[in-house]
Amino acid sequence: MFPKIIIATSGALALFIKLREGLSHLRRKQELKTDLEIYELSKNNGIESFELKNNLEKRINQILNTKNNKITSFLAGVAVFVGFGLWSINIYQNDSTFNGWIVVTIFVALAGLSLMFETNEVTEPKGTFLQLHFKDRTNFVMGMIITLLCGIVTPILIIKTSEFTFWQFVFGLFFFIGIFSLIKNIYVVK
């Protein structure tokens, strides 16, 4: 029961954070509109401030360069993650031996998780202390999915089965292939 509560709580928490982020984005736009009106009034009265102008330009560029995530993909991600996460836990708790459907349900739950945190926001970095470069995005994403999926399934297989099976070998092998794919795809720039 405890893992199901964790999955449901994480979905509700992600939804709360997303709603809060959306409301704060609207508030920032409203504050910017008010500041622009104040700037226009001060400009019309002959009071110009370069600091205010630079601050407004910076905030306008930040809002224009920020793309909002589509709420539908986020809600779909929450529904898929929570639903298939609960289904995965149910399969794990109800079967005494390995059930191959758990692989599919965990994979779909991870896909829902990636939909939840998909972001198109462009932000300015505060300062770079380590810079990594990914050679190929598709290979990196596939390596990450394979590593996460097999990293979850392999321990489940080891716990659920009493003797060695080739499923353990296959998923353990794919786990290491995913890790090596990630390592091969990353190099340090700075």
Side-chain angles (χ1 to χ4, degrees):
M1 185 66 179
F2 187 67
K4 291 182 181 181
I5 293 172
I6 290 174
I7 293 287
T9 305
S10 64
L13 182 65
L15 184 61
F16 173 74
I17 290 170
K18 186 67 173 182
L19 289 174
R20 184 173 173 226
E21 179 184 304
L23 293 175
S24 67
H25 185 71
L26 291 174
R27 190 182 78 238
R28 283 193 304 266
K29 282 185 176 180
Q30 290 171 345
E31 288 173 355
L32 181 63
K33 181 181 177 188
T34 305
D35 289 346
L36 283 171
E37 290 172 355
I38 292 171
Y39 178 71
E40 284 297 320
L41 285 174
S42 66
K43 189 176 171 183
N44 291 339
N45 291 329
I47 306 170
E48 270 192 70
S49 172
F50 291 108
E51 293 174 4
L52 180 61
K53 182 180 177 182
N54 290 336
N55 185 18
L56 287 173
E57 286 176 359
K58 182 179 176 183
R59 288 172 55 195
I60 289 170
N61 286 333
Q62 183 180 10
I63 286 178
L64 290 177
N65 290 332
T66 302
K67 298 178 183 174
N68 285 334
N69 293 338
K70 297 191 180 204
I71 194 72
T72 54
S73 67
F74 176 77
L75 292 176
V78 169
V80 169
F81 173 69
V82 171
F84 280 91
L86 293 174
W87 191 6
S88 300
I89 292 168
N90 192 27
I91 290 172
Y92 176 75
Q93 289 176 342
N94 291 336
D95 290 337
S96 60
T97 60
F98 173 69
N99 185 344
W101 284 107
I102 197 167
V103 176
V104 176
T105 57
I106 290 174
F107 181 77
V108 175
L110 291 175
L113 189 65
S114 70
L115 276 175
M116 284 171 46
F117 296 111
E118 179 181 320
T119 179
N120 294 328
E121 292 183 7
V122 178
T123 57
E124 294 180 22
K126 293 182 179 179
T128 305
F129 73 95
L130 176 67
Q131 189 174 10
L132 297 175
H133 181 76
F134 303 108
K135 295 178 185 175
D136 185 11
R137 182 176 183 202
T138 306
N139 286 343
F140 177 76
V141 169
M142 289 306 295
M144 183 63 75
I145 290 172
I146 289 171
T147 303
L148 287 174
L149 177 66
C150 294
I152 293 170
V153 173
T154 303
I156 290 172
L157 282 172
I158 292 171
I159 292 170
K160 284 288 194 172
T161 56
S162 58
E163 71 269 347
F164 175 78
T165 65
F166 284 103
W167 284 110
Q168 293 170 336
F169 170 74
V170 168
F171 283 104
L173 178 68
F174 277 114
F175 176 73
F176 286 112
I177 288 172
I179 287 177
F180 288 125
S181 172
L182 290 176
I183 292 171
K184 187 176 119 178
N185 210 4
I186 298 174
Y187 70 89
V188 177
V189 175
K190 193 176 190 182

